[in-house]
Amino acid sequence: MRMTDVLIVGAGPTGLVLACDLARRGAAVRIVDRSPAPPRTSRAKGPNARSLEILDDLGVAEEVLAAGSAPLPMLKYRDRLPVAETDPWADSAPSPDAPYDRGRLIAQWRLEEILRDRLAGYGVRVELGREVVGLAERAHDQEIDGQQTDGQETDRQQDDGRQFDGQQVDVTFAEGRTERARYVVGCDGAHSSVRKLLGIGFEGTTAEDQVMVCGDVDLVEGALDRTRWHQWFDEDGAVMLCPIPGTRTGWWFQAGPERDGRGRPLAPTADGFRRLLARHTALSGRALTRAELLSTYRVNVRMADRFRAGRAFLAGDAAHVHAVAGGLGMNTGIQDAFNLGWKLGLVLAGHAGAQLLDTYEEERLPVAARTLDLTSERLRATLEAIRRPGGGLDAAITPDTTGLGVGYRWSSLARAHDEAPQPGDGLPDFPQAGDRAPDAPCVDAATGARTRLHRVFAGPRTTVLGFGPGSAAVLREVAAAYGDAGVRTCRVYASYESGTRSGPGAAVVDDEGHAAAAYGTGAFGGTGTGIVVVRPDHHLGLCAPADDARSVHAYLRRLHGSERFSGIGGRRP
């Protein structure tokens, strides 16, 4: 019977990002989707700043940037007349620690196309037309004796409510075939079959009165300025039209629905879209020449009770759905995948114990809960704003919606050090363990070429940065002990440090001081010498003085197992 390391169910952005991350780690990964063909819909309007960093790590950011466009100024109308124009990003600019200060507009189908091509480069292709109808976790030496298809838990369940931790998951498909995987990840959307088969609750609310009709439309060429996102908000309804990048006449259409005599929303139709266009805008309904991929959106705010059941996981909309305000749906899923991928990779490679996988739910469930609260608040603010002439969707955009501030300070993987700077110490607000690792421009010490720290971090490895001369010994020990276990080292030289810039691993010169400023190296005992461990998902795991090799050893052992020989920390594993 066919066996794979990880079977991903659902080939949207969440599933594709996870598949790319696992494939580049050498895992045997498969990804299936019940759709008979890749869906061609724009849906989500594009990755936010944090998701662009993830796509950069996966090697596709340049293609995404080329295929998309920058976020557009918003032109707001009342009674068919323009009344205000707002650029939510007018005061934003890239910084040394965050080169992506805003997201990118790109049709979801185009983003998925780019990710599928990347995945194909690893020899993995999406298996279309394959619907999962059964899941059963089994011990390795058991034969299949039936499928668990009704969402009920087996009688070999553990006391903590999870299915027993066997060696594999038997997955049954609609065509009757059963296949085996070590792990299964449900990335199959809000109506997730995987979640239902696992019997995981999806509690929350649906706001039946908050309804929007959506679709992809074509307008006659020249009908509207394509450098603006047009938004008509009237007391009796709304229409929003945003140009779809990469098309000549394509637009995202969103509107309040038409309603019947009882006030119930009508299903979207092309003719209905034409009537809404003529009612709220100065355009004739005939200006709309095509309408497809029509759908009705209702505000759902729901979250799974748990994100893991034994060897099965949930990610993206399968785990959480929320208000569309802020554009965080697809982005939260992409970031779920980036958190889970490296953990599955280390466990499958034998570098970490299976308990590392518990930190996926530990870290991402609170983020999802916070996202539900944030998007609900942004929706409330937007609905309030559009009651006034000049209000629009810019009310949904805040620094929180970039994703750059998401961190895991509460996580068991965030190792706070006694000497690390703390808020209120009178020092600048340096990043803490669990936070996103800042970027910084620097120079490759070997080639003299310009680079940046996120380029150093790129790829499926943990990175140990050493600042100051005192870090050299620890970097040598780490390279010797963990160089074969997915750990890279990088010495960060200050511009004033002279002498030979050599040693194990990479080396960069912090010629403008941005790395030192971002990581607060002056706080390491006041010496400017320290060690920073950066997780594969670009979050800080540990910041420690360079003479505390023992803490570095303990942290790396948590992620990568025991080192090959004694030396780091002065003791044997």
Side-chain angles (χ1 to χ4, degrees):
M1 182 175 293
R2 189 175 183 182
M3 169 74 88
T4 191
D5 287 335
V6 182
L7 178 71
I8 299 167
V9 183
T14 300
L16 289 167
V17 165
L18 180 59
C20 287
D21 195 18
L22 288 167
R24 68 177 178 169
R25 296 173 185 278
V29 60
R30 293 171 54 208
I31 179 168
V32 301
D33 197 285
R34 63 184 173 188
S35 299
R40 191 174 177 86
T41 176
S42 45
R43 287 181 293 183
K45 288 186 174 65
N48 64 12
R50 176 58 183 147
S51 292
L52 282 173
E53 292 183 341
I54 292 170
L55 296 172
D56 195 5
D57 187 275
L58 294 175
V60 298
E62 290 186 6
E63 192 171 357
V64 170
L65 294 174
S69 73
L72 300 176
M74 299 178 181
L75 182 57
K76 278 77 71 75
Y77 300 77
R78 196 78 163 192
D79 297 326
R80 297 188 175 90
L81 298 175
V83 294
E85 182 172 321
T86 305
D87 182 354
W89 304 103
D91 298 327
S92 177
S95 61
D97 67 328
Y100 300 114
D101 66 311
R102 65 194 70 187
R104 197 75 174 169
L105 292 176
I106 182 173
Q108 183 171 323
W109 64 263
R110 181 70 181 105
L111 176 61
E112 291 174 357
E113 192 174 67
I114 291 170
L115 288 168
R116 283 197 303 272
D117 288 346
R118 184 65 171 175
L119 186 60
Y122 296 112
V124 180
R125 297 188 181 277
V126 177
E127 301 173 36
L128 295 166
R130 305 210 68 199
E131 181 180 2
V132 172
V133 297
L135 295 173
E137 194 165 322
R138 302 293 188 211
H140 184 68
D141 58 355
Q142 284 187 307
E143 293 298 324
I144 299 172
D145 55 4
Q147 307 305 321
Q148 179 186 344
T149 60
D150 57 359
Q152 300 299 311
E153 294 173 332
T154 68
D155 57 5
R156 299 184 62 180
Q157 179 182 5
Q158 291 182 345
D159 292 339
D160 66 357
R162 290 180 176 171
Q163 293 181 3
F164 77 99
D165 188 15
Q167 300 295 315
Q168 65 194 36
V169 183
D170 294 338
V171 184
T172 301
F173 292 91
E175 69 268 24
R177 185 184 180 115
T178 297
E179 298 172 11
R180 292 175 174 173
R182 292 180 175 85
Y183 296 97
V184 171
V185 185
C187 304
D188 49 342
H191 301 289
S192 170
S193 297
V194 171
R195 187 186 65 241
K196 294 172 183 177
L197 289 168
L198 295 171
I200 293 177
F202 200 50
E203 297 300 319
T205 60
T206 299
E208 295 292 345
D209 59 329
Q210 294 178 342
V211 182
M212 182 168 61
V213 290
C214 312
D216 287 6
V217 305
D218 275 346
L219 300 181
V220 295
E221 193 166 358
L224 287 172
D225 178 2
R226 291 183 64 83
T227 67
R228 298 293 184 270
W229 185 347
H230 302 267
Q231 302 170 12
W232 293 264
F233 293 108
D234 297 320
E235 291 184 5
D236 62 344
V239 169
M240 293 151 277
L241 283 164
C242 182
I244 301 175
T247 69
R248 212 161 44 91
T249 58
W251 297 77
W252 284 295
F253 183 103
Q254 298 166 285
E258 295 184 300
R259 295 182 181 270
D260 65 15
R262 297 183 180 181
R264 295 173 299 189
L266 296 175
T269 65
D271 284 341
F273 280 14
R274 292 186 180 98
R275 288 189 292 268
L276 288 166
L277 194 67
R279 179 177 182 177
H280 293 285
T281 82
L283 298 175
S284 163
R286 292 190 300 275
L288 193 154
T289 60
R290 176 191 63 92
E292 61 181 19
L293 305 169
L294 310 185
S295 63
T296 298
Y297 168 81
R298 287 178 172 81
V299 176
N300 281 292
V301 180
R302 298 180 181 275
M303 190 169 74
D305 298 339
R306 48 200 169 112
F307 290 5
R308 181 185 183 189
R311 287 179 170 258
F313 300 84
L314 301 175
D317 287 355
H320 43 75
V321 293
H322 44 76
V324 69
L328 293 178
M330 177 187 74
N331 287 290
T332 306
I334 287 173
Q335 291 152 36
D336 286 346
F338 204 52
N339 183 286
L340 179 59
W342 69 272
K343 295 171 181 177
L344 280 170
L346 286 179
V347 171
L348 287 166
H351 295 313
Q355 65 270 21
L356 178 65
L357 300 176
D358 290 330
T359 67
Y360 169 65
E361 179 178 296
E362 177 190 357
E363 294 182 342
R364 293 305 296 176
L365 193 148
V367 169
R370 167 62 182 142
T371 301
L372 265 62
D373 291 342
L374 172 63
T375 53
S376 295
E377 168 57 26
R378 287 300 88 204
L379 177 62
R380 185 206 61 76
T382 302
L383 293 175
E384 178 67 26
I386 63 177
R387 294 189 182 122
R388 303 182 300 272
L393 301 185
D394 49 301
I397 299 173
T398 71
D400 286 338
T401 60
T402 66
L404 296 174
V406 172
Y408 313 113
R409 292 188 182 185
W410 63 84
S411 171
S412 60
L413 296 181
R415 176 71 184 275
H417 194 276
D418 293 341
E419 297 182 41
Q422 298 296 321
D425 285 349
L427 296 168
D429 187 18
F430 297 128
Q432 307 291 306
D435 291 352
R436 165 191 166 271
D439 202 352
C442 46
V443 173
D444 188 301
T447 67
R450 299 297 307 179
T451 187
R452 49 192 177 93
L453 287 184
H454 277 203
R455 293 290 188 200
V456 175
F457 303 157
R461 290 182 286 178
T462 298
T463 304
V464 180
L465 297 178
F467 292 87
S471 67
V474 177
L475 293 181
R476 285 194 297 269
E477 293 167 351
V478 167
Y482 291 97
D484 295 336
V487 180
R488 66 161 72 84
T489 60
C490 180
R491 172 75 160 86
V492 182
Y493 289 91
S495 59
Y496 55 78
E497 289 186 78
S498 59
T500 302
R501 290 166 175 165
S502 62
V508 296
V509 180
D510 186 20
D511 61 326
E512 297 175 340
H514 292 302
Y519 286 84
T521 56
F524 289 123
T527 65
T529 293
I531 294 290
V532 176
V533 180
V534 181
R535 301 172 3 171
D537 60 352
H538 302 185
H539 282 268
L540 301 182
L542 172 71
C543 302
D547 60 359
D548 186 8
R550 187 177 297 272
S551 291
V552 178
H553 158 78
Y555 192 82
L556 292 177
R557 184 173 58 187
R558 171 79 188 276
L559 299 188
H560 296 273
S562 298
E563 63 274 18
R564 292 183 302 176
F565 60 92
S566 63
I568 187 168
R571 59 193 177 114
R572 293 185 178 274

